C-alpha cells in the first residue's frame, strides 16, 4: 500500500427530508452540509468535496462558500469542489475564489475541474452548449496558467485576453492542488496528462475495472513525456450502515427516486431493485456494512492503483441523520479497515 493513500467524502448538497418527511429548505441543507464536513474532519477523513449545481434538487451552487464555513470550524481536513463546472465560469474568478478559500483554510484548499454532467449552468450564465468542448479546453488552458505563474499572458476565443496580468490573492504557499474530473473518455485522460494535473475518475456505474485502460493511458502519457505521473483518484457513490441489509434498505428508496428523477431528463428507463443490487454486488455502488464497503474499496484501490478514494455519500433526499451516521462509520471503521486490508 502506498503511504499516500487518502480517503475522501463528496456531496452534491442533495435536498434532504427532515424528521417529518418533508423536504428541507436549501438554506437548512447548506447548514447540514457544513455539519457533515465538520464531522468528516472529526472522524479522520482526509478530504471533503462539494459539487456545484444549479437546479432545485441540489442546494449548493457555490461550493467554495460552504467550504469556507467548514474551513473555519476545522484544522486538518482538505477541502475542495467535486466538481467546479469551469466551462460556464470565468477561470480568473474561479482561481480567486479558491485562492481565498485556501487562505481561510491555511493551505487546505483543492479544486476538481470538470465540464459537469448537468447543463443548467450554460444558459444561466449565457453560454452556448454547442461550445461545450471549446469552453472547457480554453478555460482549462487558462486555469493551468493561473496556477503555474505569477503573471499570466493568455489569449483565446471565450474570454478577454490577458497580458502579463497578475491575479490576486496569490496562493500563500506552493500551488493550488488542481484535479481534472474525467468521466470516461480517452481525450479527457490525455488532456489531464498534458497539463500534468491529477486525474479524478468519476466511476458511477458498472465494474470499476473497466476504467483500468484509462489509468494505463494516463500513466503511459506521463512516461512518454518523461515526467513523473500525477495522483489518480476515484469518485463513486455509496452508503455505510451497521449491516449490509440495513444499508441497502435505507439507501434503496432514495437512490431509486434520485436515479429516476435524473433519468427521466435523460431518457433512461425506471430503475428496478435487481439493477440496484447488481451495482452493489459487482458495480460501482459501495453500499453495506463497514466490512463490506472496506473490502470493495480495497479491491478498487488495488486494481486501479489509485492514491485517493472519494465516496459520494449523499443520495437524493436521504436524511441528514442517516448521512451523519454513514460519515461516522466511514471515517471510524471503513478507512482503518481498508488500510489494514492493503497493508
Amino acid at each position: 500500500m502506498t503511504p499516500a493513500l487518502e480517503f475522501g467524502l463528496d456531496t452534491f448538497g442533495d435536498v434532504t427530508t427532515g424528521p417529518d418527511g418533508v423536504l428541507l429548505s436549501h438554506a437548512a441543507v447548506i447548514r447540514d452540509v457544513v455539519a457533515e464536513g465538520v464531522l468528516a474532519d472529526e472522524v479522520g477523513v482526509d478530504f471533503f468535496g462539494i459539487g456545484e449545481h444549479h437546479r432545485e434538487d441540489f442546494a449548493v451552487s457555490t461550493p467554495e462558500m460552504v467550504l469556507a464555513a467548514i474551513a473555519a470550524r476545522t484544522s486538518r481536513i482538505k477541502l475542495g469542489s467535486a466538481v467546479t463546472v469551469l466551462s460556464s465560469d470565468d477561470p480568473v474568478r474561479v482561481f480567486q475564489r479558491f485562492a481565498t478559500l485556501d487562505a481561510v483554510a491555511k493551505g487546505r484548499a483543492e479544486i476538481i475541474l470538470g465540464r459537469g454532467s448537468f447543463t443548467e449552468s450554460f444558459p444561466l450564465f449565457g453560454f452556448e452548449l454547442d461550445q461545450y468542448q471549446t469552453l472547457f479546453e480554453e478555460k482549462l488552458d487558462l486555469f493551468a496558467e493561473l496556477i503555474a505563474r505569477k503573471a499570466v499572458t493568455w489569449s483565446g476565443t471565450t474570454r478577454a485576453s490577458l497580458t502579463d496580468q497578475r491575479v490576486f490573492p496569490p496562493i500563500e504557499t506552493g500551488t493550488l492542488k488542481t484535479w481534472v474530473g474525467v468521466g470516461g473518455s480517452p481525450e479527457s485522460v490525455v488532456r489531464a496528462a498534458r497539463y500534468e494535473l491529477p486525474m479524478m475518475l468519476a466511476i458511477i456505474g458498472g465494474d470499476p475495472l473497466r476504467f483500468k485502460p484509462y489509468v494505463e493511458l494516463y500513466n503511459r502519457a506521463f512516461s512518454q513525456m518523461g515526467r513523473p505521473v500525477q495522483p489518480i483518484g476515484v469518485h463513486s457513490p455509496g452508503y455505510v450502515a451497521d449491516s449490509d441489509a440495513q444499508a441497502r434498505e435505507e439507501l434503496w428508496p432514495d437512490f431509486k427516486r434520485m436515479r429516476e428523477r435524473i433519468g427521466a431528463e435523460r431518457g433512461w428507463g425506471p430503475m428496478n431493485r435487481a439493477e440496484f443490487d447488481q451495482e452493489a454486488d459487482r458495480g460501482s455502488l459501495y453500499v453495506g456494512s463497514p466490512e463490506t464497503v472496506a473490502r470493495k474499496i480495497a479491491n478498487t484501490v488495488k486494481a486501479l492503483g489509485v492514491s485517493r478514494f472519494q465516496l459520494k455519500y449523499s443520495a437524493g433526499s436521504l436524511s441528514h441523520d442517516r448521512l451523519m451516521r454513514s460519515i461516522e462509520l466511514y471515517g471510524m471503521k471503513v478507512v482503518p479497515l481498508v488500510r489494514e486490508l492493503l497493508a
Side-chain angles (χ1 to χ4, degrees):
M1 181 187 71
T2 171
L5 181 60
E6 295 181 322
F7 297 88
L9 286 167
D10 295 338
T11 179
F12 294 166
D14 310 53
V15 175
T16 54
T17 53
D20 57 1
V22 176
L23 290 175
L24 297 175
S25 68
H26 288 73
V29 172
I30 289 170
R31 290 189 288 271
D32 283 346
V33 170
V34 173
E36 290 158 16
V38 172
L39 177 61
D41 179 66
E42 291 172 352
V43 298
V45 175
D46 299 306
F47 173 85
F48 190 79
I50 303 177
E52 172 197 346
H53 293 85
H54 303 270
R55 44 187 288 138
E56 188 175 12
D57 44 353
F58 300 114
V60 181
S61 59
T62 52
E64 56 273 28
M65 293 289 291
V66 185
L67 293 166
I70 298 170
R73 295 177 54 185
T74 58
S75 59
R76 180 195 57 81
I77 195 167
K78 297 174 183 178
L79 301 165
S81 59
V83 299
T84 292
V85 185
L86 186 64
S87 307
S88 56
D89 211 328
D90 182 78
V92 173
R93 293 296 287 143
V94 172
F95 176 84
Q96 289 176 322
R97 295 196 300 266
F98 276 86
T100 301
L101 169 63
D102 193 67
V104 173
K106 296 181 180 178
R108 292 182 285 137
E110 298 186 3
I111 186 169
I112 304 176
L113 300 173
R115 289 178 287 185
S117 60
F118 297 92
T119 59
E120 290 84 0
S121 62
F122 287 80
L124 182 63
F125 298 117
F127 294 99
E128 299 295 334
L129 280 172
D130 61 7
Q131 286 192 293
Y132 188 80
Q133 186 79 7
T134 301
L135 284 165
F136 187 70
E137 288 181 351
E138 286 200 359
K139 292 184 178 187
L140 180 60
D141 186 64
L142 174 53
F143 202 87
E145 293 289 320
L146 291 165
I147 62 174
R149 301 176 183 172
K150 291 184 178 179
V152 174
T153 297
W154 178 91
S155 64
T157 64
T158 55
R159 79 171 314 279
S161 299
L162 299 174
T163 302
D164 200 27
Q165 179 71 54
R166 296 187 66 199
V167 177
F168 301 98
I171 300 298
E172 186 173 28
T173 59
T175 188
L176 176 66
K177 186 165 187 176
T178 301
W179 301 72
V180 175
V182 173
S185 75
E187 294 80 11
S188 296
V189 173
V190 172
R191 182 187 297 114
R194 186 169 72 246
Y195 288 107
E196 297 186 50
L197 295 174
M199 176 175 68
M200 183 61 63
L201 295 169
I203 307 179
I204 60 174
D207 186 347
L209 295 190
R210 67 192 176 91
F211 277 75
K212 192 164 186 178
Y214 296 114
V215 172
E216 293 169 349
L217 175 61
Y218 185 75
N219 290 333
R220 190 162 63 249
F222 277 94
S223 177
Q224 290 173 354
M225 294 188 297
R227 305 289 293 174
V229 68
Q230 293 295 309
I232 301 172
V234 165
H235 154 106
S236 289
Y239 177 69
V240 192
D242 292 292
S243 70
D244 289 346
Q246 180 186 350
R248 293 197 187 199
E249 291 309 310
E250 289 181 353
L251 179 63
W252 161 242
D254 292 301
F255 192 90
K256 174 181 171 64
R257 281 191 289 269
M258 174 187 66
R259 162 66 164 70
E260 292 186 347
R261 184 179 62 248
I262 295 170
E265 301 170 2
R266 302 181 179 186
W268 302 342
M271 183 180 204
N272 57 46
R273 182 59 188 259
E275 183 182 352
F276 173 82
D277 288 335
Q278 168 75 14
E279 279 297 320
D281 290 337
R282 291 176 288 279
S284 298
L285 182 58
Y286 296 74
V287 56
S289 67
E291 294 78 13
T292 294
V293 174
R295 283 194 298 271
K296 194 167 185 179
I297 291 174
N299 289 338
T300 298
V301 168
K302 193 184 306 182
L304 297 182
V306 300
S307 58
R308 182 186 287 178
F309 183 89
Q310 296 179 194
L311 185 80
K312 196 269 185 179
Y313 69 91
S314 60
S317 57
L318 190 64
S319 66
H320 171 62
D321 59 337
R322 288 181 171 177
L323 297 179
M324 291 287 272
R325 178 59 175 160
S326 183
I327 292 168
E328 181 181 27
L329 289 171
Y330 181 77
M332 298 187 73
K333 292 191 175 183
V334 173
V335 169
L337 281 169
V338 177
R339 294 194 186 281
E340 184 179 319
L341 288 166
L342 295 176

